[in-house]
Amino acid sequence: MSEPSRLLVLVGSPRRNGNSAVMAEAVARGAADKGATVAVRFIDDYISNFLRDCRVCRKPNGECSIEDRFRELFFDDFLPADGVVFCTPVYWYGVSAQTKAFFDRTFCYYAGSYPDSAEVVARMSRKRVGLVLASEETYPGASLGIIHQIQEYSRYTRSEFVGLVRGFGNSRGEVSRDPGDPLAESIRFGTSFFDLKYSDYHLDTDRAGKVWPEKGS
Ligand SMILES: Cc1cc2nc3c(=O)[nH]c(=O)nc-3n(C[C@H](O)[C@H](O)[C@H](O)COP(=O)(O)O)c2cc1C
């Protein structure tokens, strides 16, 4: 039997019972129901500092000298994962600082100055990536910068950006009253995460012309 897929659900809000968190839990529930091994982590529990100048602060053995738990999150949860769902509130039309700091801090370990950077680069690459956004504003433009960032992150790491859930709310957990029902959508997203069809064609890609098989075939 094959190993269950490993999903990391990374929450970038400081609010434990906030909108990103409740959607993150829903994604996790869906994925676990489907048999995935799931970890939900709040970035706040692991990162308490921004990236610094690695040339100045890297230890002689190549390790990052910043004293927080980023290393644990990165090596124990992120690198082994087959898929990662980034769950973040929209802050100033971008990801939260926590989420951005997560991306920035990976530099310490994929940079060539880290002794095992080649292995880190390989393990950072080729994951499934998903996005869950909580915002007050409903218009599509409020999320476009973030979608673009995750798309570029996925391209750069040769990952597959398979989907997005947006939930609207402001006070804690208010997304549960969003008539679009982002909690149900989040559960579905989790359930189907490792099966979602991913396609990104080029002009010269060989393709069948149809996206789905005929019914009954
Ligand atoms: C610092 C800050 C900046 C925000 N910027 C935006 C914004 O640009 N657009 C928006 O729609 N909502 C914005 N919001 C509202 C949050 O996105 C919204 O309350 C969200 O539901 C919070 O998610 P959480 O409960 O997971 O923390 C902002 C909130 C804060 C605290």
Side-chain angles (χ1 to χ4, degrees):
M1 231 174 76
S2 63
E3 292 281 306
S5 299
R6 288 158 301 186
L7 177 65
L8 171 62
V9 181
L10 214 46
V11 187
S13 170
R15 302 204 289 187
R16 304 297 143 142
N17 51 358
N19 295 312
S20 318
V22 293
M23 289 193 284
E25 285 298 339
V27 170
R29 214 172 332 129
D33 283 352
K34 196 68 193 297
T37 302
V38 186
V40 179
R41 302 285 184 252
F42 283 81
I43 297 173
D44 252 3
D45 288 334
Y46 296 86
I47 296 184
S48 51
N49 290 282
F50 296 134
L51 178 72
R52 296 183 189 144
D53 179 349
C54 291
R55 283 191 190 190
V56 175
C57 69
R58 194 184 284 289
K59 290 181 188 170
N61 66 0
E63 289 295 323
C64 174
S65 69
I66 298 175
E67 289 195 2
D68 61 15
R69 296 171 64 202
F70 172 74
R71 192 186 200 289
E72 182 187 330
L73 177 63
F74 188 59
F75 280 90
D76 296 354
D77 293 314
F78 183 80
L79 289 184
D82 303 300
V84 181
V85 177
F86 295 97
C87 307
T88 178
V90 175
Y91 280 179
W92 287 100
Y93 308 104
V95 297
S96 67
Q98 287 87 337
T99 307
K100 183 60 165 59
F102 175 84
F103 288 120
D104 294 352
R105 290 282 300 277
T106 62
F107 180 78
C108 270
Y109 293 109
Y110 72 73
S113 45
Y114 181 66
D116 293 328
S117 70
E119 191 194 335
V120 170
V121 166
R123 296 178 74 204
M124 277 183 77
S125 305
R126 298 185 165 80
K127 296 184 191 296
R128 291 215 134 199
V129 170
L131 180 62
V132 168
L133 293 177
S135 69
E136 182 179 6
E137 292 168 86
T138 60
Y139 87 110
S143 303
L144 284 181
I146 299 176
I147 294 168
H148 186 65
Q149 181 179 15
I150 299 300
Q151 180 185 327
E152 288 304 297
Y153 168 84
S154 303
R155 184 193 56 76
Y156 188 65
T157 59
R158 301 190 184 279
S159 298
E160 296 183 340
F161 181 18
V162 295
L164 152 79
V165 178
R166 295 178 78 202
F168 303 110
N170 203 19
S171 61
R172 285 157 215 266
E174 199 189 349
V175 282
S176 63
R177 300 206 300 278
D178 176 345
D181 205 352
L183 295 188
E185 197 184 340
S186 298
I187 294 173
R188 267 202 312 279
F189 189 46
T191 309
S192 57
F193 187 76
F194 287 105
D195 302 321
L196 284 168
K197 184 180 178 68
Y198 176 79
S199 47
D200 177 8
Y201 294 147
H202 295 98
L203 183 61
D204 57 357
T205 304
D206 276 336
R207 51 209 207 230
K210 292 201 167 91
V211 177
W212 311 111
E214 303 283 349
K215 282 218 163 87
S217 67

